[in-house]
Amino acid sequence: MSLTLHIAADQWRGRVRRHVDDATTAGVTVVPVTKGNGYGFGNAVLAAESARLGVATLAVGTYEELPAVVEAFGGGDVLVLSPWRPWLDGGLGDDHVVHTVSRLEDLRRLAMGDARPRVVVEVLTSMRRHGVGTDELAEVAGLIDRVRFEGFALHLPLTGDHTAEATALARRAFEAAPAAARTVWVSHLTPARAAAVGRDTGSDVRLRVATALWLGDRAGLASRATVLDVHRVRRGETYGYHQRKARRDGTLVVVAGGTAHGVALQAPTAAGTMRQRATALARGGLEAGGRALSPFRIGGKQRWFAEPPHMQCSMIWLPDGVGAPAVGDEVDVEVRFTTTTFDHLAWD
Ligand SMILES: *Cc1c(COP(=O)(O)O)cnc(C)c1O
């Protein structure tokens, strides 16, 4: 009775491993990332999968996510991607944790203390989220002896080719700190481009990757929802929390998967063009009558919500003439993996 992520275990694990092996062959070390909802799998599961891969370092999004992964990752190093801030003083004691430091004042503070934490220093890119400026690198270089410095970090945009930017920033950072560890942690470069940065700067490259690693190929992944109930409804009868009146005969199909799972909750898309926006609208779109197209597929087609999804389940309207599923059947559901919490993972 659940919203289930079916994983063709051998197929999926084989592809994940190939991704890591291909990067290794190119000369790049993969740092798997898990955070948030664990890309649909959950953070502890992806930590365990990372341990199976034998990688040295796993990255998580926040300090709050550390407890869920530490044990599952088997005691390896864990990099926290959210930059360290002074109110996180308590987090400095663990030798397996690598901290990201993105402001000069935070580095100064860590350099003044006795903890000597392991840190990577993030340099601001055209992404402009976190990072020290290139004009601050000289002062950074003067402070990193007082921490255990593990390299520079660059967080790059998804759009466009930022290989040249990464190379230029890494070069400036290493020029400012010639005695420091020549390691650069990058995101959102292909393994080949990351390797080029390494060659051009004479550095070790660690490639932090989540989506391309865990979800790069959906072929071995399927999300399905259990049918919990099926009810015939006659024209004029009412149903649901909102007592909407059926305009014609049909069938209500109650399926697992509601707002608690993230079903039908929309995150803003990056759709830029009119055409992309029209497509996005059509996918999650509203009919003139206020009905929304659901992500559940029955009889080979996406079906309308009978009413807005409930917390744990959804009511789907099936017009007459479409064969209704039986209680206990599973139906396909299209989900966004970064916003969906599954009840159950089935390793098939
Ligand atoms: C989330 C995150 C990643 C991984 O991002 P994907 O696009 O899912 O591969 C890499 N680097 C940083 C800094 C991140 O926050």
Side-chain angles (χ1 to χ4, degrees):
M1 296 233 299
S2 44
L3 187 68
T4 304
L5 173 58
H6 290 268
I7 307 150
D10 291 346
Q11 184 184 357
W12 180 77
R13 285 197 176 118
R15 202 205 48 77
V16 168
R17 185 168 287 284
R18 271 196 302 285
H19 191 95
V20 173
D21 289 349
D22 289 351
T24 309
T25 306
V28 168
T29 304
V30 168
V31 177
V33 176
T34 187
K35 61 190 179 192
N37 71 337
Y39 294 80
F41 295 82
N43 287 326
V45 168
L46 292 187
E49 291 299 320
S50 300
R52 280 176 85 108
L53 289 168
V55 295
T57 311
L58 168 70
V60 294
T62 65
Y63 284 88
E64 287 78 2
E65 288 164 349
L66 279 171
V69 302
V70 164
E71 202 176 317
F73 189 51
D77 292 343
V78 184
L79 168 73
V80 182
L81 296 169
S82 282
W84 182 85
R85 291 289 182 256
W87 57 84
L88 294 166
D89 256 342
L92 295 173
D94 191 333
D95 259 2
H96 288 297
V97 176
V98 182
H99 306 268
T100 301
V101 178
S102 71
R103 297 187 307 170
L104 203 44
E105 62 184 280
D106 294 335
L107 185 61
R108 282 193 203 110
R109 187 175 172 120
L110 292 175
M112 272 184 330
D114 297 323
R116 287 183 56 82
R118 299 171 67 186
V119 307
V120 299
V121 173
E122 180 162 5
V123 179
L124 194 69
T125 69
S126 59
M127 176 83 189
R128 292 184 217 292
R129 186 153 86 181
H130 304 297
V132 299
T134 46
D135 56 333
E136 297 175 308
L137 285 169
E139 194 176 339
V140 166
L143 293 167
I144 55 182
D145 279 350
R146 305 225 4 111
V147 294
R148 280 177 285 167
F149 178 73
E150 310 239 351
F152 290 103
L154 300 171
H155 189 201
L156 299 162
L158 283 165
T159 306
D161 177 2
H162 293 271
T163 318
E165 178 184 359
T167 301
L169 286 174
R171 210 172 257 149
R172 288 190 67 172
F174 293 134
E175 275 164 16
R182 266 187 113 77
T183 304
V184 57
W185 306 66
V186 298
S187 307
H188 302 143
L189 288 177
T190 61
R193 285 172 176 170
V197 173
R199 271 196 309 277
D200 292 348
T201 60
S203 61
D204 284 338
V205 178
R206 309 268 158 88
L207 183 58
R208 301 169 300 194
V209 52
T211 305
L213 179 66
W214 309 122
L215 303 172
D217 176 3
R218 309 283 164 95
L221 303 174
S223 39
R224 298 206 190 98
T226 308
V227 174
L228 303 175
D229 239 318
V230 179
H231 304 289
R232 283 284 300 158
V233 178
R234 297 277 167 210
R235 192 183 115 126
E237 286 180 328
T238 57
Y239 59 84
Y241 280 136
H242 303 287
Q243 289 294 287
R244 193 170 272 173
K245 204 174 258 179
R247 282 181 291 176
R248 50 188 78 87
D249 292 357
T251 304
L252 280 177
V253 182
V254 185
V255 290
T259 52
H261 303 87
V263 164
L265 297 185
Q266 284 199 51
T269 69
T273 66
M274 286 304 282
R275 192 191 152 85
Q276 283 171 329
R277 280 182 214 157
T279 311
L281 251 180
R283 273 218 202 103
L286 285 177
E287 192 197 36
R291 292 194 310 169
L293 197 56
S294 87
F296 299 94
R297 297 181 78 85
I298 301 175
K301 260 180 77 174
Q302 243 177 299
R303 301 296 170 180
W304 296 95
F305 279 117
E307 71 169 1
H310 304 170
M311 185 76 120
Q312 311 284 359
C313 62
S314 296
M315 295 179 104
I316 305 303
W317 180 260
L318 212 55
D320 260 2
V322 181
V327 171
D329 283 356
E330 279 194 319
V331 300
D332 289 333
V333 51
E334 258 175 56
V335 299
R336 189 164 168 174
F337 282 85
T338 47
T339 56
T340 305
T341 307
F342 292 96
D343 292 313
H344 181 56
L345 304 189
W347 298 86
D348 301 331

